[in-house]
Structure formats: C-alpha cells, structure tokens
Amino acid sequence: MKPLQQGMALIEALVASTVLGIGLLGATQLTLKAMQTAHESRQRGVAQLLAQEAMDCALSRSPCPAQDSTEVQGLRYERQTRITPRRDGLQDIEVTVQWASPMGGTARGEPARLVWRSSVSQLPGWVGQ
C-alpha cells in the first residue's frame, strides 16, 4: 500500500456512517410527524362526530343538553349547543366542540376547537303546505 492510501478506508467508513445517520434521522422525523398527524386527525374526527350528533339533536327539535362533556379514549371533549332565534322566522344553531390537544390549538395552551353553524326555520314543516 502506498503511504497516501493509509487511513482512507477509515475516512470512507466515517463518511458513509454520517450519511446513513442523517438518512435515518430524516426517516425517524417523518415517522413521528405522520403519527402526530394521524393522532390529530383522529381527534378531529371524534369532534366532528360529536358536533354532528349535537346538530342532529338540535334540528330534530327534541330536548338536547345545551352543554355536556364526553371522554373518548382518555381525552375529554366539551360540547356546547346554542340556538338563537332571528326576526325572519329562522333559528341559528351553533355547535362548538373543544378538547385539550397539545398540538391542536392555535396558541400554546389553547384548546383545539371545532365550530359548526346552521340555520333552520322556526315554523313546523306542515305550515307551508
């Protein structure tokens, strides 16, 4: 072996190890981000189901709780339904679901929130017939 080639194998191994380490770090970060996104998506899906349930109850004109809370898979969801009559014969319905998500709020420490709004006629359906 020539004197200039001594130690080249060690340098090549160090460079290859560094490239492999950077690649594994990127793959790990990608996996963690995918898991975080899946977790947030599941939380939002649960909130949408709770909002749909409250909206259906409000639209059916049956007695519904104005505010309640539910726990799903260890996470507490607070649900609030507000019905506001308008002068034009309609009622505005607003359903708010919020939950304590460490990543879901717009600011640190703020809960994640889902708001659904709709309007419905105050008159029964048979009046217009």
Side-chain angles (χ1 to χ4, degrees):
M1 246 191 227
K2 295 181 182 179
L4 293 176
Q5 289 185 346
Q6 290 178 347
M8 287 303 288
L10 180 60
I11 292 174
E12 289 174 359
L14 287 173
V15 170
S17 296
T18 303
V19 170
L20 179 64
I22 291 171
L24 289 175
L25 182 63
T28 302
Q29 287 180 342
L30 183 63
T31 301
L32 290 174
K33 185 64 175 173
M35 289 175 60
Q36 176 185 352
T37 302
H39 184 69
E40 290 173 3
S41 177
R42 182 181 55 80
Q43 289 176 353
R44 185 158 290 281
V46 168
Q48 287 179 343
L49 287 173
L50 292 171
Q52 180 68 47
E53 183 181 89
M55 189 65 75
D56 288 345
C57 185
L59 290 173
S60 70
R61 300 172 197 261
S62 59
C64 306
Q67 191 169 8
D68 65 344
S69 65
T70 277
E71 189 168 324
V72 178
Q73 295 182 349
L75 190 62
R76 180 157 301 282
Y77 294 85
E78 303 288 332
R79 179 171 55 180
Q80 182 179 14
T81 304
R82 185 175 27 196
I83 300 174
T84 308
R86 294 187 342 201
R87 293 183 194 176
D88 58 1
L90 295 176
Q91 289 180 331
D92 291 329
I93 302 171
E94 180 179 278
V95 176
T96 303
V97 180
Q98 57 183 31
W99 63 100
S101 175
M103 306 146 247
T106 56
R108 289 193 175 234
E110 185 177 316
R113 180 180 304 214
L114 176 75
V115 179
W116 279 14
R117 293 181 180 93
S118 184
S119 295
V120 64
S121 173
Q122 293 178 345
L123 301 175
W126 57 267
V127 170
Q129 297 178 353

